[in-house]
Amino acid sequence: MNKVSGVIICLGYILGLLFTAIPWGGFWVFALGIVGAIFFGRQRQNIRKHLPKKDNSQAKTKTAPQLSQTTPHPRVWLIAGVVGLFASFYFQSRVPIPEANDISKFLPLENANNQEQLFIVRGKVLTKPRMTRSQRGQLWLQATELNEVKNENGPAGTSKGVTGKLYVTMPLLQTTGLHPSQQIAVTGVLYKPKPPLNPGGFDFQKFLQQEGAFAGLSGRQVNILDEGKSWGWWKIRERIVRSQVRSLGVPEGPLVSAMVLGSKVVDLPYETQDRFVQVGLAHALAASGFQTSLILGVILGLTSKAKKGTQIILGSIALLLFLTLTGLQASVLRAVIMGFAALIGIGLRRTVKQLGSLLVAAVLLLLFNPLWIWDLGFQLSFLATLGLIVTGSPITKRFDWLPLMITSSIAVPLAAAIWTLPLLLYVFNVVAIYTLPANIISTPFISIISIGGMISALVSLISPELGSSLANLLYHPTHWLLNLVEFFGSLPGSTVAVGSISLGQMLAMYILIILAWVVRWWQQRWWFSAIIALGLVVVPVWHSANTLFRVTVLAAGEEPVLVIQDKGKVTLINSGDEGTGRFTILPFLQQQAVNKVDWAIASDFQHNGNNAWLEVLQRLPIGTFYDYSPTSDNDTTNQVIKKEVQNSKGIYQPLSVGQTITTGSVVAQLTNNQLPILQLQIFGQNWLLVGQTKTTQVLELLNSGRVVRPQVLWCPGESLKELIPVLQPQVAIATTTNVDQKTLSELSKTQTKLFFTSKDGAIQWTPNGQFETFIPAGENKTSIL
């Protein structure tokens, strides 16, 4: 079997895994193998017909190798199809499913009163605790035993033997000192992870399933049952991180450790991580090919006069040590395998083809774990490396008139960006505008910090004090890098939301990139490919922004949060509690390609102190901000909001009761001075947002003419029973289903359609359509619709 045949079979395996995204994908790959065998079989026959007839045996001996390289034997395509079919079955066999006694099987049923059932879960700690964005500790637990707590102070119920991996969060102090291999008992509330309730939201359920977990535990208290092993690779990582943080402080210390070990095993502040991602430098925090190249470069440089065997042994030890410290991450494994390929090439005194070693690394890793095919880190790592291999050299030739250091600083990030950009747009819906200059300027700092950090890490294993002293030398380069990242992140338009692109758009962009790689005509007209790719993204976004009118009621807790898109103009009403801006509003706006909020109305519906507005203002400018704050304890927050709005050249206006606001096609008026009652007229349709207020107050406002009978009503779930008979809306939207079955049965007999954002997700309406739920009724069996 020649190299071409091997490549086709390897690609068949990878294609079989990719086709698991569609029904019967493996059989489609098998069918493609059959078609390829038929097509290329005929090609071979046509070529054989045109062989010289003088000396047929001599013609065969000379042309057969050439024939096999240009058109592989039909059986190769059949084998590739069979391998692709096998890959799809292999993938399905490795998909995690809960066992019969998995802890997720014992989750309590939801009840109308939302009473929390406490459990005691015993098991073994699998990972070192980390801090979440909500300042809680998080770890993975291998559950072994489950007890139901009868009451807060009473004894536990009957013990049950369970299995399964559990996602555990606890107060930060409760996780202090915990480490892998410990046996612990955690008291808390078991819950089932939910899919995203809003467009663009984080799919927590999918995340846990990829990790092989199907339940979570919100812990309150932990008891250590067995200390377990006091040594492990986690101990070595901890020793390195402590040594570097001791002299550098935070965030410089964790940043150096993350650049050496990877951010997945280091508690790097999320604010720092977000800034690096925002400017397109997330790769600096991921242990992968850059660190591997540095390690091999240093080892081979120091042992240049030694024997080849010595170089290979020392290089292998360094790679294995690096792999063990960073953990079995897909990107690190890919880099290490390619590093071993380079060492083998040195031993055989042959040049290793990087593209071939990348393909071999991909197949080996996907044989080890086929589920990595849908791991974003795996995908980005291979696409970036592919870009460096096939696109880096042509870009370097175009900039050969510049000094070599500058040329490589341009070619490396640009080549990686070309191949990763379509996937990043598909997943995150945003593009970092200043990623190229940020990468060019930061490359020297990243190199110095990475090399110095590795030396400091190795020394700290022997002497933490000496390692800490060496790490102290990296303070200024690290501090300058942080300032550089903050500078690019603070520039106007540092990230631009381009909206969600379809799978077809992403594949079309990759087809254009591949054509510019392999076809000479497209290579000479690469700019034409770039224009088409840009049009694939910009034209649909421009058309949607200038024609779309849609109202979206986001699933955002106890406060009504509305986003009104009016032909390119955006109105945002309310912001919800702290965290709603970061995890709900901003992801939705990014998916919708919104880069500015034209009007914002803060009605302070639950007196929450405008908690989420600052989260929105940190990322998006607001043109005109209408603020109603009846309580005086929010003055400080309001002043900060006012300053942020004015800094972004917006207008800040206080909102008073009875004031009428016109924002595009929306007319809004605040009615009540205690708990706000906000009425809206949207495209000729009356909406009424009512909080926790008495029905008599609503009746008084209705009879006095200050409130118009609405077509759409938003109110808390417990107010539905009283308000629907009085207001008789066509549609009623509530946040939670805290409604007893008798009331639901009575309400179902009315003409009012009921929606619950906690069950149905975001609710969307367009003038020419009906109300639609983000979670379809077929997927939401608990929906009352």
Side-chain angles (χ1 to χ4, degrees):
M1 182 181 295
N2 57 35
K3 295 180 181 179
V4 177
S5 300
V7 169
I8 293 173
I9 293 173
C10 289
L11 291 177
Y13 178 74
I14 295 174
L15 199 63
L17 295 178
L18 288 173
F19 267 56
T20 56
I22 61 176
W24 304 96
F27 291 96
W28 284 105
V29 177
F30 181 64
L32 288 175
I34 295 175
V35 172
I38 296 173
F39 176 79
F40 288 102
R42 292 178 178 177
Q43 289 286 96
R44 289 174 65 92
Q45 291 177 359
N46 292 334
I47 294 175
R48 289 183 183 278
K49 288 180 181 179
H50 294 86
L51 292 177
K53 297 183 179 180
K54 297 179 186 178
D55 188 353
N56 200 35
S57 61
Q58 184 180 3
K60 285 183 180 180
T61 58
K62 290 187 177 181
T63 58
Q66 182 180 1
L67 180 64
S68 63
Q69 289 179 7
T70 54
T71 55
H73 196 279
R75 66 170 173 267
V76 173
W77 297 96
L78 282 175
I79 293 172
V82 173
V83 169
L85 181 61
F86 159 78
S88 66
F89 288 126
Y90 180 50
F91 178 90
Q92 295 298 332
S93 69
R94 293 290 300 273
V95 173
I97 56 174
E99 299 179 4
N101 61 337
D102 189 272
I103 192 169
S104 61
K105 301 286 188 179
F106 302 96
L107 292 175
L109 298 175
E110 295 184 5
N111 54 70
N113 297 325
N114 279 343
Q115 293 180 350
E116 294 182 338
Q117 174 62 56
L118 291 178
F119 289 89
I120 297 177
V121 181
R122 294 175 176 83
K124 184 175 73 172
V125 178
L126 297 176
T127 61
K128 186 73 177 170
R130 302 191 63 187
M131 188 169 63
T132 67
R133 288 185 181 271
S134 56
Q135 307 298 309
R136 286 171 63 85
Q138 181 272 324
L139 55 84
W140 291 99
L141 184 73
Q142 184 65 45
T144 57
E145 190 176 327
L146 177 68
N147 290 78
E148 181 179 344
V149 179
K150 297 301 182 182
N151 55 67
E152 287 285 347
N153 300 315
T158 305
S159 175
K160 301 175 183 177
V162 295
T163 60
K165 193 176 178 181
L166 195 61
Y167 179 90
V168 181
T169 57
M170 288 181 286
L172 197 58
L173 290 177
Q174 291 286 326
T175 61
T176 303
L178 296 181
H179 60 78
S181 79
Q182 278 183 322
Q183 297 287 334
I184 62 174
V186 185
T187 303
V189 179
L190 281 172
Y191 62 89
K192 181 180 180 180
K194 295 182 178 180
L197 295 174
N198 299 286
F202 175 66
D203 195 337
F204 184 52
Q205 185 180 72
K206 182 179 179 181
F207 166 74
L208 290 193
Q209 288 177 349
Q210 290 176 338
E211 297 291 335
F214 304 92
L217 176 66
S218 179
R220 298 182 179 180
Q221 183 179 353
V222 60
N223 294 314
I224 299 175
L225 305 177
D226 185 356
E227 285 293 342
K229 298 179 182 178
S230 60
W231 186 92
W233 288 107
W234 60 269
K235 193 75 172 180
I236 297 178
R237 297 188 196 108
E238 189 177 75
R239 187 185 182 98
I240 293 173
V241 174
R242 285 183 177 179
S243 174
Q244 293 175 338
V245 172
R246 183 186 300 124
S247 60
L248 293 174
V250 178
E252 286 81 5
L255 177 58
V256 172
S257 300
M259 293 176 68
V260 174
L261 302 174
S263 59
K264 288 191 175 182
V265 296
V266 177
D267 246 341
L268 183 65
Y270 284 102
E271 184 180 357
T272 303
Q273 293 186 47
D274 293 341
R275 287 176 180 173
F276 273 77
V277 172
Q278 184 181 352
V279 301
L281 289 174
H283 61 86
L285 307 178
S288 58
F290 183 77
Q291 288 84 347
T292 306
S293 300
L294 286 177
I295 291 171
L296 283 182
V298 171
I299 295 295
L300 296 177
L302 294 175
T303 60
S304 58
K305 297 182 180 180
K307 296 180 180 179
K308 298 296 181 184
T310 304
Q311 288 184 313
I312 294 173
I313 292 173
L314 293 178
S316 299
I317 293 174
L319 289 177
L320 290 174
L321 180 62
F322 176 68
L323 175 63
T324 307
L325 287 175
T326 56
L328 295 179
Q329 304 173 35
S331 59
V332 180
L333 281 168
R334 188 272 310 160
V336 169
I337 290 174
M338 294 189 69
F340 276 116
L343 291 175
I344 292 172
I346 292 174
L348 298 177
R349 300 181 185 275
R350 294 177 58 183
T351 302
V352 177
K353 293 185 178 180
Q354 292 181 313
L355 195 58
S357 64
L358 178 65
L359 182 61
V360 170
V363 173
L364 289 177
L365 291 180
L366 292 175
L367 283 171
F368 174 72
N369 185 0
L371 303 180
W372 275 343
I373 192 70
W374 300 118
D375 180 82
L376 183 61
F378 175 90
Q379 295 169 345
L380 291 175
S381 175
F382 274 88
L383 287 172
T385 307
L386 179 63
L388 296 179
I389 294 172
V390 304
T391 311
S393 180
I395 295 176
T396 301
K397 291 179 180 179
R398 291 184 179 274
F399 291 94
D400 57 1
W401 50 276
L402 292 172
L404 181 60
M405 182 176 295
I406 298 178
T407 302
S408 61
S409 298
I410 295 174
V412 170
L414 184 57
I418 289 172
W419 284 83
T420 57
L421 182 60
L423 178 60
L424 290 173
L425 291 178
Y426 179 72
V427 176
F428 296 111
N429 315 132
V430 296
V431 59
I433 298 299
Y434 306 112
T435 180
L436 188 58
N439 274 275
I440 293 173
I441 299 174
S442 65
T443 296
F445 296 106
I446 294 174
S447 300
I448 293 172
I449 296 168
S450 297
I451 295 174
M454 290 177 185
I455 296 173
S456 167
L458 289 174
V459 173
S460 65
L461 297 180
I462 303 171
S463 172
E465 292 75 16
L466 182 56
S468 182
S469 299
L470 291 175
N472 190 47
L473 300 176
L474 301 174
Y475 176 80
H476 290 294
T478 308
H479 189 68
W480 293 337
L481 178 61
L482 287 168
N483 289 339
L484 181 67
V485 171
E486 187 173 356
F487 167 75
F488 280 108
S490 63
L491 291 177
S494 59
T495 57
V496 175
V498 297
S500 60
I501 65 172
S502 65
L503 179 63
Q505 288 173 287
M506 183 186 71
L507 293 178
M509 294 173 71
Y510 275 117
I511 289 173
L512 291 169
I513 294 174
I514 294 172
L515 288 174
W517 166 31
V518 299
V519 180
R520 182 176 296 275
W521 189 92
W522 286 95
Q523 289 175 352
Q524 297 173 350
R525 297 164 180 82
W526 59 268
W527 52 269
F528 186 51
S529 298
I531 292 175
I532 297 176
L534 184 64
L536 286 172
V537 177
V538 173
V539 172
V541 171
W542 176 84
H543 179 267
S544 177
N546 288 275
T547 58
L548 177 66
F549 184 96
R550 181 169 59 196
V551 180
T552 303
V553 182
L554 295 174
E558 298 299 322
E559 185 170 355
V561 178
L562 277 70
V563 178
I564 303 170
Q565 298 166 267
D566 185 2
K567 298 179 180 179
K569 301 294 183 180
V570 177
T571 301
L572 174 61
I573 300 175
N574 297 330
S575 65
D577 296 330
E578 185 177 0
T580 304
R582 181 186 300 115
F583 301 117
T584 301
I585 298 175
L586 287 173
F588 173 76
L589 296 179
Q590 288 176 358
Q591 192 207 48
Q592 300 299 313
V594 174
N595 292 289
K596 178 185 178 182
V597 175
D598 297 277
W599 299 281
I601 301 175
S603 65
D604 197 17
F605 225 76
Q606 300 292 336
H607 297 314
N608 60 16
N610 295 331
N611 286 326
W613 284 114
L614 290 175
E615 297 172 353
V616 176
L617 283 164
Q618 288 173 358
R619 297 292 298 274
L620 293 178
I622 295 178
T624 304
F625 189 93
Y626 296 97
D627 188 11
Y628 172 74
S629 301
T631 55
S632 58
D633 56 349
N634 297 328
D635 290 344
T636 303
T637 304
N638 294 342
Q639 291 301 318
V640 176
I641 291 175
K642 181 178 179 180
K643 184 178 180 180
E644 289 288 338
V645 172
Q646 293 174 343
N647 287 341
S648 62
K649 299 181 180 179
I651 301 172
Y652 178 88
Q653 291 189 5
L655 177 62
S656 59
V657 174
Q659 179 181 351
T660 300
I661 304 169
T662 302
T663 63
S665 301
V666 180
V667 179
Q669 186 181 54
L670 197 63
T671 304
N672 194 14
N673 61 352
Q674 294 298 322
L675 194 63
I677 297 177
L678 188 66
Q679 54 183 343
L680 310 169
Q681 189 175 41
I682 305 174
F683 220 84
Q685 190 178 61
N686 294 321
W687 290 55
L688 186 64
L689 313 182
V690 179
Q692 293 282 3
T693 185
K694 296 180 180 179
T695 307
T696 54
Q697 293 179 330
V698 179
L699 279 174
E700 291 176 1
L701 294 171
L702 185 65
N703 294 331
S704 64
R706 295 173 61 187
V707 169
V708 180
R709 193 178 301 275
Q711 281 85 38
V712 182
L713 169 69
W714 182 97
C715 67
E718 50 269 25
S719 301
L720 290 172
K721 181 178 181 180
E722 297 180 350
L723 291 179
I724 286 181
V726 173
L727 299 176
Q728 298 178 357
Q730 298 174 2
V731 172
I733 302 173
T735 54
T736 59
T737 56
N738 294 340
V739 186
D740 58 80
Q741 291 298 323
K742 181 180 179 181
T743 301
L744 284 176
S745 178
E746 294 175 359
L747 294 176
S748 63
K749 298 177 182 178
T750 66
Q751 299 298 318
T752 301
K753 292 184 178 180
L754 297 178
F755 296 93
F756 294 92
T757 55
S758 61
K759 295 291 186 182
D760 302 308
I763 313 296
Q764 295 185 322
W765 173 81
T766 56
N768 298 325
Q770 300 294 323
F771 282 81
E772 296 181 355
T773 62
F774 177 64
I775 300 178
E779 297 180 12
N780 180 18
K781 298 180 180 180
T782 58
S783 175
I784 65 168
L785 298 179

